[in-house]
Amino acid sequence: MGMAVGPKKGSVKNDINVTPLVDVVLVLLIIFMVITPMLQRGKDVKLPQSKSIDEENKESDPIILSVTKDKHIFIESSEYDKEGFSPALKVVLDEKPGRKILLKGDDSLTVGDVREVMEMSRKAGAKSVALGVEEQK
């Protein structure tokens, strides 16, 4: 590795080399750009509000089911119709048996719409389905 010298022979150049700093910042920027879309799982829905909320169990990683206001059903981020939903969920449940299911239904849906998805989940082999809600403030 060479040493940069100033105008006088033998004097050391006192400028800061910012190239390694820029390299590190660009790598961190790329990492954050790749990771940020992965932080939110499932489809974005407006959850109903509740006064009492059960404490979340951080030990397990649930399967996220989402039902949007226009009644589209998603497993994680993949959309399924009513006929293809149960077989797809069964495949996911067979890969990792015992995983819990978190159902996020838009607050504009009726109870019947949410109950229908819960029944389809149970027929696919889900042992329990938890409903996602926001805490009322």
Side-chain angles (χ1 to χ4, degrees):
M1 199 160 137
M3 181 173 72
V5 292
K8 293 184 181 179
K9 194 170 190 170
S11 68
V12 179
K13 189 174 180 181
N14 291 337
D15 292 342
I16 297 173
N17 188 0
V18 296
T19 304
L21 173 68
V22 171
D23 291 343
V24 170
V25 170
L26 287 176
V27 168
L28 288 173
L29 177 66
I30 291 169
I31 290 171
F32 286 126
M33 288 173 58
V34 170
I35 290 177
T36 301
M38 295 180 208
L39 294 177
Q40 181 178 356
R41 294 179 46 207
K43 196 70 177 161
D44 189 26
V45 294
K46 186 175 185 309
L47 297 175
Q49 295 190 353
S50 175
K51 291 180 183 176
S52 63
I53 295 178
D54 293 340
E55 291 299 318
E56 184 178 348
N57 184 2
K58 299 284 185 185
E59 295 173 9
S60 65
D61 184 28
I63 299 168
I64 308 293
L65 304 181
S66 306
V67 183
T68 60
K69 62 182 173 184
D70 48 356
K71 299 180 184 176
H72 292 213
I73 304 171
F74 292 83
I75 300 175
E76 296 293 341
S77 58
S78 302
E79 183 176 0
Y80 296 94
D81 58 358
K82 289 184 180 182
E83 293 78 30
F85 171 74
S86 289
L89 183 59
K90 184 166 179 45
V91 169
V92 173
L93 288 170
D94 288 343
E95 289 174 2
K96 293 186 180 178
R99 280 181 73 186
K100 296 185 179 187
I101 294 181
L102 176 64
L103 176 58
K104 295 174 16 178
D106 196 88
D107 68 346
S108 64
L109 295 173
T110 65
V111 174
D113 296 332
V114 175
R115 185 171 291 173
E116 182 181 8
V117 175
M118 290 177 78
E119 284 300 318
M120 289 189 297
S121 301
R122 286 198 184 102
K123 287 179 184 174
K127 292 186 169 90
S128 66
V129 180
L131 293 176
V133 295
E134 287 183 3
E135 187 172 9
Q136 202 172 40
K137 295 180 182 180

